[in-house]
Tab-separated table of all heavy atoms in Angstrom:
chain	number	residue	atom	x	y	z
A	178	MET	N	66.897	-15.125	39.062
A	178	MET	CA	65.889	-14.328	38.396
A	178	MET	C	65.853	-14.752	36.927
A	178	MET	O	66.894	-14.882	36.291
A	178	MET	CB	66.227	-12.841	38.528
A	178	MET	CG	65.085	-11.950	38.150
A	178	MET	SD	65.412	-10.194	38.344
A	178	MET	CE	65.532	-10.029	40.089
A	179	GLU	N	64.684	-14.888	36.393
A	179	GLU	CA	64.551	-15.318	35.019
A	179	GLU	C	64.836	-14.161	34.066
A	179	GLU	O	64.669	-12.987	34.406
A	179	GLU	CB	63.142	-15.843	34.779
A	179	GLU	CG	62.827	-17.098	35.564
A	179	GLU	CD	61.427	-17.578	35.271
A	179	GLU	OE1	60.906	-17.279	34.194
A	179	GLU	OE2	60.863	-18.239	36.155
A	180	THR	N	65.241	-14.502	32.856
A	180	THR	CA	65.602	-13.506	31.851
A	180	THR	C	64.444	-12.578	31.491
A	180	THR	O	64.646	-11.353	31.440
A	180	THR	CB	66.164	-14.194	30.590
A	180	THR	OG1	67.270	-14.996	30.963
A	180	THR	CG2	66.604	-13.176	29.568
A	181	PRO	N	63.239	-13.062	31.239
A	181	PRO	CA	62.145	-12.134	30.902
A	181	PRO	C	61.840	-11.139	32.022
A	181	PRO	O	61.573	-9.972	31.764
A	181	PRO	CB	60.947	-13.052	30.650
A	181	PRO	CG	61.540	-14.361	30.285
A	181	PRO	CD	62.818	-14.455	31.067
A	182	THR	N	61.912	-11.597	33.251
A	182	THR	CA	61.669	-10.704	34.382
A	182	THR	C	62.744	-9.633	34.465
A	182	THR	O	62.451	-8.452	34.688
A	182	THR	CB	61.639	-11.505	35.700
A	182	THR	OG1	60.695	-12.558	35.581
A	182	THR	CG2	61.276	-10.620	36.865
A	183	LEU	N	63.986	-10.029	34.253
A	183	LEU	CA	65.086	-9.079	34.273
A	183	LEU	C	64.938	-8.047	33.157
A	183	LEU	O	65.160	-6.850	33.381
A	183	LEU	CB	66.426	-9.818	34.146
A	183	LEU	CG	67.674	-8.954	34.181
A	183	LEU	CD1	67.782	-8.233	35.512
A	183	LEU	CD2	68.903	-9.791	33.922
A	184	LEU	N	64.546	-8.487	31.978
A	184	LEU	CA	64.375	-7.567	30.856
A	184	LEU	C	63.255	-6.564	31.115
A	184	LEU	O	63.384	-5.373	30.801
A	184	LEU	CB	64.100	-8.345	29.569
A	184	LEU	CG	65.285	-9.089	28.982
A	184	LEU	CD1	64.858	-9.897	27.768
A	184	LEU	CD2	66.393	-8.121	28.610
A	185	VAL	N	62.171	-7.028	31.708
A	185	VAL	CA	61.061	-6.122	32.041
A	185	VAL	C	61.506	-5.097	33.072
A	185	VAL	O	61.211	-3.903	32.951
A	185	VAL	CB	59.841	-6.928	32.529
A	185	VAL	CG1	58.787	-6.013	33.140
A	185	VAL	CG2	59.251	-7.743	31.398
A	186	LEU	N	62.213	-5.524	34.083
A	186	LEU	CA	62.688	-4.601	35.113
A	186	LEU	C	63.675	-3.578	34.540
A	186	LEU	O	63.600	-2.386	34.869
A	186	LEU	CB	63.336	-5.372	36.261
A	186	LEU	CG	62.389	-6.183	37.138
A	186	LEU	CD1	63.176	-6.981	38.167
A	186	LEU	CD2	61.390	-5.267	37.816
A	187	LEU	N	64.566	-4.019	33.684
A	187	LEU	CA	65.514	-3.088	33.051
A	187	LEU	C	64.792	-2.087	32.149
A	187	LEU	O	65.134	-0.896	32.124
A	187	LEU	CB	66.567	-3.860	32.255
A	187	LEU	CG	67.634	-4.564	33.071
A	187	LEU	CD1	68.510	-5.421	32.156
A	187	LEU	CD2	68.481	-3.570	33.833
A	188	ALA	N	63.793	-2.553	31.422
A	188	ALA	CA	63.027	-1.658	30.553
A	188	ALA	C	62.270	-0.618	31.372
A	188	ALA	O	62.262	0.571	31.030
A	188	ALA	CB	62.069	-2.464	29.681
A	189	LEU	N	61.643	-1.043	32.458
A	189	LEU	CA	60.923	-0.099	33.318
A	189	LEU	C	61.866	0.901	33.974
A	189	LEU	O	61.556	2.092	34.059
A	189	LEU	CB	60.131	-0.861	34.379
A	189	LEU	CG	58.889	-1.596	33.877
A	189	LEU	CD1	58.281	-2.412	35.003
A	189	LEU	CD2	57.883	-0.624	33.311
A	190	PHE	N	63.007	0.434	34.438
A	190	PHE	CA	63.989	1.331	35.044
A	190	PHE	C	64.461	2.368	34.038
A	190	PHE	O	64.563	3.557	34.352
A	190	PHE	CB	65.179	0.520	35.582
A	190	PHE	CG	66.259	1.369	36.171
A	190	PHE	CD1	66.081	1.979	37.398
A	190	PHE	CD2	67.459	1.565	35.490
A	190	PHE	CE1	67.076	2.774	37.948
A	190	PHE	CE2	68.452	2.352	36.029
A	190	PHE	CZ	68.268	2.958	37.268
A	191	THR	N	64.736	1.937	32.808
A	191	THR	CA	65.178	2.858	31.763
A	191	THR	C	64.094	3.882	31.452
A	191	THR	O	64.373	5.081	31.317
A	191	THR	CB	65.548	2.079	30.484
A	191	THR	OG1	66.563	1.130	30.811
A	191	THR	CG2	66.044	3.003	29.400
A	192	LEU	N	62.860	3.443	31.337
A	192	LEU	CA	61.750	4.344	31.060
A	192	LEU	C	61.582	5.371	32.166
A	192	LEU	O	61.391	6.565	31.899
A	192	LEU	CB	60.462	3.544	30.879
A	192	LEU	CG	59.212	4.345	30.554
A	192	LEU	CD1	59.381	5.063	29.222
A	192	LEU	CD2	58.004	3.439	30.524
A	193	ILE	N	61.674	4.934	33.405
A	193	ILE	CA	61.550	5.858	34.539
A	193	ILE	C	62.684	6.885	34.518
A	193	ILE	O	62.458	8.078	34.738
A	193	ILE	CB	61.508	5.079	35.865
A	193	ILE	CG1	60.186	4.319	35.964
A	193	ILE	CG2	61.678	5.998	37.064
A	193	ILE	CD1	60.126	3.316	37.100
A	194	CYS	N	63.904	6.452	34.232
A	194	CYS	CA	65.044	7.375	34.166
A	194	CYS	C	64.853	8.409	33.067
A	194	CYS	O	65.135	9.602	33.260
A	194	CYS	CB	66.336	6.603	33.945
A	194	CYS	SG	66.883	5.682	35.384
A	195	VAL	N	64.372	7.996	31.917
A	195	VAL	CA	64.148	8.915	30.799
A	195	VAL	C	63.067	9.937	31.147
A	195	VAL	O	63.214	11.132	30.861
A	195	VAL	CB	63.784	8.133	29.516
A	195	VAL	CG1	63.259	9.048	28.438
A	195	VAL	CG2	64.992	7.360	29.016
A	196	VAL	N	61.998	9.506	31.787
A	196	VAL	CA	60.920	10.418	32.169
A	196	VAL	C	61.414	11.431	33.196
A	196	VAL	O	61.111	12.624	33.101
A	196	VAL	CB	59.702	9.625	32.689
A	196	VAL	CG1	58.686	10.538	33.357
A	196	VAL	CG2	59.069	8.841	31.561
A	197	ILE	N	62.187	10.995	34.162
A	197	ILE	CA	62.727	11.914	35.171
A	197	ILE	C	63.675	12.926	34.523
A	197	ILE	O	63.597	14.129	34.797
A	197	ILE	CB	63.427	11.133	36.303
A	197	ILE	CG1	62.388	10.384	37.128
A	197	ILE	CG2	64.245	12.059	37.189
A	197	ILE	CD1	62.981	9.412	38.132
A	198	PHE	N	64.556	12.458	33.643
A	198	PHE	CA	65.479	13.359	32.954
A	198	PHE	C	64.714	14.381	32.113
A	198	PHE	O	65.050	15.566	32.099
A	198	PHE	CB	66.441	12.564	32.078
A	198	PHE	CG	67.359	13.415	31.268
A	198	PHE	CD1	68.429	14.054	31.845
A	198	PHE	CD2	67.138	13.590	29.911
A	198	PHE	CE1	69.279	14.856	31.105
A	198	PHE	CE2	67.974	14.385	29.149
A	198	PHE	CZ	69.043	15.016	29.749
A	199	ALA	N	63.664	13.958	31.416
A	199	ALA	CA	62.878	14.868	30.586
A	199	ALA	C	62.171	15.917	31.437
A	199	ALA	O	62.114	17.091	31.061
A	199	ALA	CB	61.872	14.077	29.765
A	200	ALA	N	61.651	15.517	32.578
A	200	ALA	CA	60.957	16.464	33.461
A	200	ALA	C	61.925	17.511	34.005
A	200	ALA	O	61.602	18.703	34.051
A	200	ALA	CB	60.280	15.713	34.595
A	201	ILE	N	63.108	17.082	34.400
A	201	ILE	CA	64.109	18.028	34.914
A	201	ILE	C	64.556	18.981	33.811
A	201	ILE	O	64.657	20.194	34.016
A	201	ILE	CB	65.309	17.267	35.511
A	201	ILE	CG1	64.884	16.540	36.782
A	201	ILE	CG2	66.470	18.215	35.793
A	201	ILE	CD1	65.924	15.581	37.321
A	202	SER	N	64.788	18.453	32.633
A	202	SER	CA	65.216	19.275	31.501
A	202	SER	C	64.138	20.290	31.123
A	202	SER	O	64.429	21.452	30.842
A	202	SER	CB	65.539	18.380	30.313
A	202	SER	OG	65.931	19.144	29.212
A	203	LYS	N	62.885	19.864	31.118
A	203	LYS	CA	61.786	20.770	30.792
A	203	LYS	C	61.683	21.895	31.809
A	203	LYS	O	61.488	23.056	31.455
A	203	LYS	CB	60.469	19.993	30.739
A	203	LYS	CG	59.275	20.843	30.355
A	203	LYS	CD	58.000	20.029	30.381
A	203	LYS	CE	56.802	20.794	29.913
A	203	LYS	NZ	56.494	21.986	30.639
A	204	ARG	N	61.834	21.562	33.086
A	204	ARG	CA	61.750	22.584	34.127
A	204	ARG	C	62.855	23.614	33.979
A	204	ARG	O	62.620	24.824	34.050
A	204	ARG	CB	61.823	21.939	35.516
A	204	ARG	CG	61.674	22.927	36.662
A	204	ARG	CD	61.575	22.237	38.013
A	204	ARG	NE	62.528	21.163	38.198
A	204	ARG	CZ	63.742	21.324	38.767
A	204	ARG	NH1	64.113	22.495	39.174
A	204	ARG	NH2	64.534	20.285	38.907
A	205	LYS	N	64.083	23.157	33.695
A	205	LYS	CA	65.202	24.081	33.514
A	205	LYS	C	65.010	24.957	32.284
A	205	LYS	O	65.321	26.151	32.302
A	205	LYS	CB	66.513	23.306	33.401
A	205	LYS	CG	66.996	22.741	34.709
A	205	LYS	CD	68.330	22.052	34.537
A	205	LYS	CE	68.831	21.494	35.844
A	205	LYS	NZ	70.135	20.831	35.694
A	206	THR	N	64.472	24.377	31.221
A	206	THR	CA	64.229	25.141	29.998
A	206	THR	C	63.172	26.213	30.227
A	206	THR	O	63.327	27.355	29.772
A	206	THR	CB	63.790	24.200	28.861
A	206	THR	OG1	64.809	23.231	28.647
A	206	THR	CG2	63.537	24.958	27.575
A	207	GLU	N	62.107	25.859	30.919
A	207	GLU	CA	61.054	26.836	31.205
A	207	GLU	C	61.581	27.966	32.089
A	207	GLU	O	61.247	29.135	31.876
A	207	GLU	CB	59.857	26.152	31.869
A	207	GLU	CG	59.078	25.250	30.949
A	207	GLU	CD	58.425	25.986	29.808
A	207	GLU	OE1	57.966	27.128	30.003
A	207	GLU	OE2	58.381	25.423	28.698
A	208	GLU	N	62.389	27.649	33.087
A	208	GLU	CA	62.968	28.684	33.939
A	208	GLU	C	63.856	29.622	33.117
A	208	GLU	O	63.826	30.831	33.296
A	208	GLU	CB	63.777	28.050	35.065
A	208	GLU	CG	62.938	27.385	36.133
A	208	GLU	CD	63.777	26.633	37.147
A	208	GLU	OE1	65.020	26.602	37.033
A	208	GLU	OE2	63.184	26.039	38.071
A	209	ARG	N	64.637	29.069	32.211
A	209	ARG	CA	65.520	29.885	31.370
A	209	ARG	C	64.705	30.758	30.408
A	209	ARG	O	65.062	31.900	30.134
A	209	ARG	CB	66.464	28.975	30.592
A	209	ARG	CG	67.466	29.705	29.752
A	209	ARG	CD	68.465	28.719	29.142
A	209	ARG	NE	69.226	29.318	28.090
A	209	ARG	CZ	70.328	30.021	28.252
A	209	ARG	NH1	70.797	30.208	29.478
A	209	ARG	NH2	70.954	30.539	27.228
A	210	ARG	N	63.605	30.209	29.877
A	210	ARG	CA	62.765	30.970	28.951
A	210	ARG	C	62.148	32.190	29.605
A	210	ARG	O	61.975	33.234	28.969
A	210	ARG	CB	61.637	30.071	28.448
A	210	ARG	CG	61.693	29.815	26.985
A	210	ARG	CD	60.515	29.024	26.510
A	210	ARG	NE	59.303	29.786	26.699
A	210	ARG	CZ	58.104	29.257	26.747
A	210	ARG	NH1	57.947	27.971	26.638
A	210	ARG	NH2	57.049	30.008	26.913
A	211	HIS	N	61.793	32.087	30.876
A	211	HIS	CA	61.119	33.182	31.568
A	211	HIS	C	62.084	34.147	32.243
A	211	HIS	O	61.640	35.122	32.835
A	211	HIS	CB	60.125	32.623	32.581
A	211	HIS	CG	59.008	31.847	31.950
A	211	HIS	ND1	58.121	32.412	31.069
A	211	HIS	CD2	58.649	30.550	32.033
A	211	HIS	CE1	57.258	31.506	30.656
A	211	HIS	NE2	57.568	30.348	31.226
A	212	ASP	N	63.382	33.914	32.139
A	212	ASP	CA	64.380	34.793	32.746
A	212	ASP	C	64.774	35.875	31.736
A	212	ASP	O	65.354	35.577	30.699
A	212	ASP	CB	65.618	33.979	33.148
A	212	ASP	CG	66.632	34.800	33.912
A	212	ASP	OD1	66.355	35.985	34.201
A	212	ASP	OD2	67.700	34.252	34.229
A	213	PRO	N	64.442	37.144	32.011
A	213	PRO	CA	64.750	38.198	31.043
A	213	PRO	C	66.241	38.515	30.948
A	213	PRO	O	66.681	39.155	29.982
A	213	PRO	CB	63.972	39.402	31.574
A	213	PRO	CG	63.777	39.130	33.022
A	213	PRO	CD	63.728	37.640	33.179
A	214	ALA	N	67.053	38.078	31.894
A	214	ALA	CA	68.474	38.396	31.886
A	214	ALA	C	69.293	37.465	30.989
A	214	ALA	O	70.458	37.737	30.718
A	214	ALA	CB	69.026	38.339	33.305
A	215	VAL	N	68.684	36.389	30.502
A	215	VAL	CA	69.398	35.417	29.669
A	215	VAL	C	69.497	35.954	28.245
A	215	VAL	O	68.530	36.474	27.696
A	215	VAL	CB	68.659	34.056	29.687
A	215	VAL	CG1	69.293	33.081	28.721
A	215	VAL	CG2	68.651	33.483	31.071
A	216	ALA	N	70.686	35.851	27.661
A	216	ALA	CA	70.882	36.323	26.286
A	216	ALA	C	70.084	35.457	25.322
A	216	ALA	O	69.958	34.248	25.509
A	216	ALA	CB	72.360	36.267	25.930
A	217	LYS	N	69.564	36.097	24.279
A	217	LYS	CA	68.783	35.360	23.293
A	217	LYS	C	69.700	34.567	22.386
A	217	LYS	O	70.848	34.915	22.165
A	217	LYS	CB	67.945	36.320	22.468
A	217	LYS	CG	66.872	36.991	23.271
A	217	LYS	CD	65.852	37.608	22.370
A	217	LYS	CE	64.797	38.235	23.239
A	217	LYS	NZ	63.503	37.807	22.927
A	218	SER	N	69.161	33.501	21.830
A	218	SER	CA	69.902	32.666	20.894
A	218	SER	C	70.172	33.447	19.611
A	218	SER	O	69.386	34.307	19.199
A	218	SER	CB	69.087	31.413	20.568
A	218	SER	OG	69.630	30.753	19.460
A	219	SER	N	71.279	33.154	18.946
A	219	SER	CA	71.568	33.822	17.677
A	219	SER	C	70.611	33.351	16.586
A	219	SER	O	70.543	33.945	15.515
A	219	SER	CB	73.012	33.562	17.261
A	219	SER	OG	73.217	32.186	17.030
A	220	LEU	N	69.862	32.294	16.836
A	220	LEU	CA	68.861	31.829	15.877
A	220	LEU	C	67.525	32.529	16.043
A	220	LEU	O	66.651	32.414	15.190
A	220	LEU	CB	68.663	30.318	16.011
A	220	LEU	CG	69.879	29.467	15.662
A	220	LEU	CD1	69.575	28.003	15.922
A	220	LEU	CD2	70.279	29.668	14.228
A	221	ALA	N	67.351	33.277	17.125
A	221	ALA	CA	66.100	33.992	17.358
A	221	ALA	C	65.998	35.174	16.400
A	221	ALA	O	66.984	35.848	16.100
A	221	ALA	CB	66.031	34.486	18.801
A	222	THR	N	64.776	35.427	15.910
A	222	THR	CA	64.597	36.521	14.957
A	222	THR	C	64.790	37.885	15.612
A	222	THR	O	65.167	38.842	14.938
A	222	THR	CB	63.193	36.466	14.331
A	222	THR	OG1	62.216	36.495	15.362
A	222	THR	CG2	63.029	35.207	13.508
A	223	ASP	N	64.568	37.989	16.897
A	223	ASP	CA	64.725	39.267	17.591
A	223	ASP	C	66.001	39.328	18.425
A	223	ASP	O	66.099	40.092	19.371
A	223	ASP	CB	63.505	39.545	18.462
A	223	ASP	CG	63.246	38.458	19.483
A	223	ASP	OD1	63.850	37.374	19.361
A	223	ASP	OD2	62.439	38.692	20.389
A	224	SER	N	67.005	38.552	18.057
A	224	SER	CA	68.265	38.577	18.796
A	224	SER	C	69.055	39.828	18.433
A	224	SER	O	68.946	40.342	17.318
A	224	SER	CB	69.094	37.334	18.495
A	224	SER	OG	69.501	37.344	17.147
A	225	PRO	N	69.851	40.339	19.363
A	225	PRO	CA	70.651	41.517	19.058
A	225	PRO	C	71.821	41.148	18.140
A	225	PRO	O	72.379	40.067	18.207
A	225	PRO	CB	71.164	41.971	20.434
A	225	PRO	CG	71.153	40.738	21.259
A	225	PRO	CD	70.024	39.899	20.740
A	226	GLY	N	72.174	42.067	17.262
A	226	GLY	CA	73.309	41.826	16.373
A	226	GLY	C	72.949	40.937	15.205
A	226	GLY	O	71.785	40.640	14.937
A	227	LYS	N	73.976	40.514	14.480
A	227	LYS	CA	73.772	39.679	13.304
A	227	LYS	C	73.430	38.258	13.742
A	227	LYS	O	74.136	37.652	14.530
A	227	LYS	CB	75.044	39.680	12.460
A	227	LYS	CG	74.884	39.075	11.106
A	227	LYS	CD	76.132	39.301	10.284
A	227	LYS	CE	75.922	38.806	8.880
A	227	LYS	NZ	77.078	39.044	8.031
A	228	SER	N	72.334	37.741	13.201
A	228	SER	CA	71.924	36.405	13.597
A	228	SER	C	72.700	35.362	12.816
A	228	SER	O	73.302	35.641	11.782
A	228	SER	CB	70.428	36.214	13.374
A	228	SER	OG	70.143	36.144	11.989
A	229	ALA	N	72.691	34.150	13.298
A	229	ALA	CA	73.383	33.051	12.641
A	229	ALA	C	72.779	32.760	11.277
A	229	ALA	O	73.469	32.398	10.346
A	229	ALA	CB	73.337	31.803	13.513
A	230	VAL	N	71.484	32.976	11.152
A	230	VAL	CA	70.806	32.754	9.868
A	230	VAL	C	71.321	33.750	8.840
A	230	VAL	O	71.584	33.404	7.693
A	230	VAL	CB	69.285	32.823	10.037
A	230	VAL	CG1	68.582	32.697	8.698
A	230	VAL	CG2	68.792	31.768	11.000
A	231	GLU	N	71.458	35.024	9.230
A	231	GLU	CA	71.962	36.039	8.317
A	231	GLU	C	73.407	35.762	7.929
A	231	GLU	O	73.819	36.003	6.797
A	231	GLU	CB	71.849	37.437	8.943
A	231	GLU	CG	70.428	37.916	9.106
A	231	GLU	CD	70.358	39.185	9.936
A	231	GLU	OE1	71.403	39.605	10.468
A	231	GLU	OE2	69.266	39.733	10.048
A	232	ALA	N	74.198	35.255	8.855
A	232	ALA	CA	75.595	34.970	8.582
A	232	ALA	C	75.737	33.825	7.566
A	232	ALA	O	76.673	33.815	6.771
A	232	ALA	CB	76.331	34.612	9.863
A	233	LEU	N	74.801	32.896	7.578
A	233	LEU	CA	74.875	31.764	6.663
A	233	LEU	C	74.142	32.019	5.352
A	233	LEU	O	74.294	31.269	4.395
A	233	LEU	CB	74.284	30.510	7.332
A	233	LEU	CG	75.076	29.980	8.521
A	233	LEU	CD1	74.314	28.838	9.156
A	233	LEU	CD2	76.458	29.544	8.104
A	234	ASP	N	73.358	33.088	5.298
A	234	ASP	CA	72.584	33.388	4.095
A	234	ASP	C	73.527	33.857	2.990
A	234	ASP	O	74.265	34.818	3.139
A	234	ASP	CB	71.541	34.461	4.393
A	234	ASP	CG	70.529	34.596	3.284
A	234	ASP	OD1	70.437	33.671	2.458
A	234	ASP	OD2	69.833	35.617	3.269
A	235	ARG	N	73.514	33.175	1.878
A	235	ARG	CA	74.423	33.487	0.769
A	235	ARG	C	73.763	34.260	-0.369
A	235	ARG	O	74.349	34.474	-1.390
A	235	ARG	CB	75.001	32.178	0.186
A	235	ARG	CG	75.667	31.297	1.207
A	235	ARG	CD	77.079	31.772	1.457
A	235	ARG	NE	77.780	30.768	2.262
A	235	ARG	CZ	78.407	31.074	3.377
A	235	ARG	NH1	78.436	32.288	3.822
A	235	ARG	NH2	79.023	30.119	4.040
A	236	HIS	N	72.501	34.678	-0.181
A	236	HIS	CA	71.779	35.353	-1.268
A	236	HIS	C	72.223	36.749	-1.457
A	236	HIS	O	72.492	37.583	-0.833
A	236	HIS	CB	70.275	35.291	-1.028
A	236	HIS	CG	69.778	33.885	-1.072
A	236	HIS	ND1	69.170	33.313	-0.012
A	236	HIS	CD2	69.785	32.943	-2.035
A	236	HIS	CE1	68.811	32.078	-0.309
A	236	HIS	NE2	69.187	31.827	-1.544
């Protein structure tokens, strides 16, 4: 197999893997976003308790 052909195949394989990983990650994130039982991030403005932003605020 010639080098340019191998490089094209490796590039396409890498691109396909990245697209598949991104799609799976997006689906999991959307499922987590719509689940009301999941605790909110400490960076969220409506999170319960003291947020991470308030803890780092030195004013």
Side-chain angles (χ1 to χ4, degrees):
M178 193 178 292
E179 295 181 25
T180 303
T182 306
L183 181 62
L184 287 176
V185 169
L186 290 176
L187 286 173
L189 287 175
F190 178 74
T191 302
L192 181 62
I193 290 169
C194 288
V195 168
V196 168
I197 290 171
F198 176 75
I201 292 170
S202 179
K203 182 183 184 302
R204 183 173 44 93
K205 286 183 179 181
T206 301
E207 290 296 324
E208 288 173 359
R209 183 174 166 85
R210 244 184 64 200
H211 296 299
D212 186 4
V215 174
K217 293 196 179 234
S218 167
S219 63
L220 295 176
T222 56
D223 58 347
S224 66
K227 191 172 185 178
S228 71
V230 176
E231 292 170 354
L233 293 174
D234 192 17
R235 305 278 190 233
H236 295 120

